[in-house]
Amino acid sequence: MTETPDDPAPDDIDIVDTPDGNEQKNTDTDKAAGTPSAKSENSDHEQIYDLSAFKVLTVDDFSFITDLLASSLKELGVGKVIRADDGEKAKNLILQSNGIESGNSIDVLVLDWLMPGMSGKQLLEWIRNHEKESIKFLPVIVCSAYTSNDLVQKARDCGANEVMVKPVSADKLAKRIQHVIDNPRPYIRSPDFFGPNRRRKKEPFPGDEKRINKDEDIKQSYEKP
Amino acid sequence: MRSRKSDIEIFHRINKLKKKAGLSLTSGKKGVVDPNAVARAQETIDEKEREYPPTVKELIGQITTIWKSIKDMPEEEQKQALETLYHLSNNIKDITETYDHNLMHHFALSLRDFCEIIDLGKPQHSVIVQAHLDVMLVTFEEKLKSDETAQAEELKNIVKIAIEKYS
């Protein structure tokens, strides 16, 4: 399958929210920007996602699992799946794809937590500390067989967007991808953390505008007493 | 001096992925991954189970080879080899849990966890590792899947006794 150019939005720089909400987009604008249209309606409220323009990187030291993830993602409709069997190779692929304005960015990273050499944790920390926005805001689904709350907490503290517990199944993978698309969390920068908001917000943000520092309740929850 | 509040920044970003997946950001509609595609993806996962025997055989072979040579390695290489053993056991654990090979999963998990505390200076630890490798080979050769049969209990007991006696 051929690769589709990345979203041609002119910039990726967050701006301060304005009273007139000038960053609002509508369907016509989306179409004009060349984004694919959803394939069909599933119900009144749900449409089938078209993932053919998506590029996903899977990282696992065990080639059996990367193959499994890659073939599953392809079946789910993901247009381009690339793989790395260790953290260093993943780093290079991320830099190649997202480090420059290539129009060929990785959209989602599915990352094994427990790897020899550079671990999933270290790669995630590198991503969240990177200076380039196209890297530091990359959605990351951490994949691990550890089921304890401790791992989920650690992954969240390092900036994971989602955690998928092994064994891998198509349903789990689809749900995590869907969650990344449907429920993007605001990113928080505090003195000791950068990553997606770790507190679930009651009212989801629709993602139709860029804004900074509008949520006093989230802000307060991160401020140390 | 900066106020404490200015230390916290919140970034809401345009949901480019939703746009890329073909949905309007303003319609309020939610999307879903095609359920038929999910079913097909699960089929590919299930079909891959045919690769289970050669994959696990190779992993057990790699563990055995490393274990046989580990005592003759320089100390620094031994550390590296133990880490490799840990990850190879973890890989067996990953594939076994994908396909419900519960008995092999039990031994792979046990061996992986033991790799964290192996002291190569203690000869009795070698007995525990060897006990794991022996039962894993039997489990593989006999194609034992469930960890609840009488034979499975017997094999689990071999490892349990070795751990209790030689830890």
Side-chain angles (χ1 to χ4, degrees):
Chain A
M1 195 171 285
T2 54
E3 289 181 49
T4 312
D6 199 358
D7 182 358
D11 63 76
D12 200 22
I13 301 164
D14 290 316
I15 57 167
V16 178
D17 189 33
T18 54
D20 59 0
N22 63 355
E23 281 295 299
Q24 293 238 338
K25 306 284 181 197
N26 59 41
T27 311
D28 291 336
T29 311
D30 296 348
K31 283 181 180 166
T35 53
S37 56
K39 278 178 184 167
S40 61
E41 290 212 5
N42 197 39
S43 71
D44 286 347
H45 302 290
E46 287 183 337
Q47 281 181 273
I48 303 289
Y49 279 138
D50 179 357
L51 305 178
S52 61
F54 276 52
K55 182 174 177 181
V56 177
L57 169 62
T58 66
V59 191
D60 198 304
D61 63 298
F62 188 19
S63 61
F64 184 90
I65 296 293
T66 43
D67 288 350
L68 196 74
L69 286 167
S71 50
S72 304
L73 288 163
K74 280 275 182 189
E75 287 294 348
L76 293 178
V78 173
K80 175 99 176 153
V81 183
I82 53 174
R83 317 157 202 211
D85 59 12
D86 67 45
E88 286 297 335
K89 286 178 192 158
K91 238 170 94 170
N92 289 334
L93 287 169
I94 293 167
L95 282 169
Q96 281 167 26
S97 297
N98 297 37
I100 49 167
E101 294 299 327
S102 62
N104 188 26
S105 302
I106 294 162
D107 297 300
V108 179
L109 172 61
V110 181
L111 175 63
D112 184 32
W113 192 249
L114 199 61
M115 293 190 292
M118 185 183 221
S119 67
K121 178 178 184 286
Q122 288 168 321
L123 181 60
L124 181 52
E125 285 169 345
W126 174 82
I127 289 168
R128 293 294 176 241
N129 287 314
H130 204 275
E131 59 184 18
K132 288 224 62 144
E133 294 205 346
S134 51
I135 293 178
K136 74 188 303 169
F137 288 109
L138 178 63
V140 177
I141 299 171
V142 164
C143 194
S144 175
Y146 281 107
T147 52
S148 67
N149 284 337
D150 190 38
L151 178 273
V152 175
Q153 188 65 42
K154 271 183 193 161
R156 290 247 190 268
D157 287 347
C158 291
N161 297 70
E162 296 291 328
V163 177
M164 183 173 80
V165 176
K166 286 180 183 172
V168 174
S169 76
D171 189 51
K172 279 188 209 169
L173 190 56
K175 278 186 177 144
R176 298 276 71 81
I177 296 274
Q178 204 168 296
H179 219 261
V180 164
I181 300 170
D182 272 339
N183 302 300
R185 301 160 189 239
Y187 280 73
I188 310 296
R189 181 184 288 132
S190 74
D192 53 5
F193 173 73
F194 178 79
N197 182 20
R198 291 171 289 184
R199 288 92 159 127
R200 294 269 180 197
K201 201 164 179 257
K202 283 175 191 165
E203 294 296 327
F205 172 66
D208 56 350
E209 59 180 343
K210 293 180 180 179
R211 63 188 201 209
I212 295 182
N213 295 339
K214 291 296 287 182
D215 301 84
E216 279 303 318
D217 56 333
I218 300 179
K219 216 176 212 186
Q220 282 165 13
S221 74
Y222 278 85
E223 281 166 1
K224 289 177 180 162
Chain B
M1 190 177 140
R2 293 176 78 193
S3 70
R4 202 182 64 201
K5 275 194 175 182
S6 67
D7 288 341
I8 314 290
E9 286 183 288
I10 302 167
F11 304 85
H12 281 98
R13 299 168 59 74
I14 294 274
N15 190 346
K16 291 168 86 176
L17 292 185
K18 193 164 183 174
K19 258 174 80 176
K20 205 170 191 175
L23 261 74
S24 160
L25 301 183
T26 52
S27 69
K29 284 193 175 180
K30 282 207 165 193
V32 65
V33 177
D34 184 355
N36 295 325
V38 176
R40 284 196 303 275
Q42 188 56 47
E43 274 173 31
T44 65
I45 292 174
D46 296 342
E47 279 169 15
K48 237 176 128 53
E49 188 175 4
R50 63 177 171 223
E51 292 173 34
Y52 176 91
T55 308
V56 171
K57 190 177 182 182
E58 192 186 331
L59 289 167
I60 294 174
Q62 287 175 342
I63 292 173
T64 307
T65 304
I66 293 171
W67 183 246
K68 275 181 185 165
S69 58
I70 200 166
K71 283 174 197 157
D72 301 326
M73 292 177 184
E75 198 173 329
E76 206 44 47
E77 278 182 41
Q78 282 182 335
K79 275 186 195 167
Q80 185 66 43
L82 280 176
E83 197 188 329
T84 305
L85 286 179
Y86 177 91
H87 286 285
L88 290 171
S89 309
N90 189 57
N91 290 348
I92 297 180
K93 186 198 66 61
D94 280 354
I95 189 172
T96 52
E97 69 189 353
T98 304
Y99 298 113
D100 298 327
H101 286 255
N102 297 335
L103 186 58
M104 188 66 90
H105 176 262
H106 174 88
F107 295 135
L109 181 62
S110 175
L111 180 57
R112 187 200 71 178
D113 291 347
F114 190 66
C115 284
E116 288 189 297
I117 56 164
I118 289 178
D119 181 348
L120 293 171
K122 291 183 177 174
Q124 57 270 40
H125 278 198
S126 297
V127 179
I128 295 173
V129 174
Q130 195 56 53
H132 279 91
L133 288 173
D134 290 345
V135 293
M136 285 166 89
L137 266 178
V138 172
T139 304
F140 179 76
E141 296 293 344
E142 302 275 325
K143 297 184 173 66
L144 305 176
K145 204 167 173 182
S146 167
D147 62 347
E148 292 178 343
T149 64
Q151 194 179 2
E153 289 300 333
E154 198 179 318
L155 292 171
K156 284 196 284 185
N157 217 26
I158 291 172
V159 171
K160 193 178 165 197
I161 290 169
I163 291 173
E164 283 171 0
K165 191 171 175 185
Y166 297 108
S167 282

